[in-house]
Amino acid sequence: MSRVAVILAEGFEESEALTIVDIIRRAGIECSMISTAGEKVKGCHDIVVRADAMISEDVLDYDMVVLPGGLPGAVNLRDDDRVINIIEKMNHAGKFVCAMCAAPIALAKAGVLEGKEFTAYTGYDEKIKTTGIFKEDIVVVDGNLITSRGPATAYAFAYKLVDVLGGDSLTVKNRMVYFNSFHAIQEEKS
C-alpha cells in the first residue's frame, strides 16, 4: 500500500492540507500529517491541527511527500533544511514530490523544478527562480513532480494524487456525492 506524508509547517493553508489528507484517506491510502513545528501545528487561519508524527528521516520511507501552501507556511517549509533534505532525497529516489500554492518555493530551493513543468499560486512564477517551465494549469504532472495552484484547486490536486498512486478517485468522488449532486441539479432544472 502506498504511503503519503503531508508536511505541515506553522502557517500552512488549512483548506489545502486538510482536503488533501481527507481525500487520500477516503481513497484508502495511508496518509500521515508530519509536523515541522510540534505535535500541534497552527495554520494561517488559526486552526490548530494535531500532527500524526514529527518530521524525521522516516519520511523517506513514504512513496509521496506533499507540501501544502499558505503563508508563512510555505516560507517555513522552504527555510527548513530538514524539509529540503527530504525533498532532494525523495526526488533523487524517483518518489513523488508534490506541492501547491506557494509551496513550490521549497521545491525550487531543493532544485527539483529545474527543467520541469510546474504550477503555483498566481504571481509565484515570478518569485520562483528556476529554469522550470511555469504553466497556468490547475494541476501539472511532470514525471514524479506534481503541483497545483491554490485553495480552490485542492480537490483536483488531491484526486490526481490518488490516481497517480494507483487509487480510484472516481469512486471517492461518487462516495462524496460529486456526480449524484450534479445529476440531481440537472434533473431539477428539467
Side-chain angles (χ1 to χ4, degrees), residues 46-119:
D46 297 326
I47 298 172
V48 177
V49 174
R50 183 183 330 198
D52 299 308
M54 295 298 299
I55 195 167
S56 71
E57 292 284 314
D58 292 344
V59 174
L60 297 173
D61 294 331
Y62 285 73
D63 303 292
M64 176 184 282
V65 63
V66 183
L67 309 179
L71 291 176
V75 171
N76 290 335
L77 290 170
R78 180 199 64 201
D79 295 344
D80 190 319
D81 290 338
R82 300 169 299 175
V83 173
I84 300 305
N85 183 48
I86 287 169
I87 294 168
E88 291 170 342
K89 287 181 177 177
M90 289 189 77
N91 184 62
H92 182 71
K95 295 184 177 187
F96 289 107
V97 176
C98 314
M100 69 179 308
C101 195
I105 62 175
L107 301 183
K109 183 175 180 182
V112 302
L113 298 180
E114 299 301 319
K116 297 277 198 155
E117 293 183 349
F118 73 98
T119 194

Side-chain angles (χ1 to χ4, degrees), residues 111-132:
V112 302
L113 298 180
E114 299 301 319
K116 297 277 198 155
E117 293 183 349
F118 73 98
T119 194
Y121 192 76
T122 304
Y124 272 76
D125 55 320
E126 296 174 16
K127 294 180 183 187
I128 295 173
K129 304 300 180 208
T130 180
T131 61

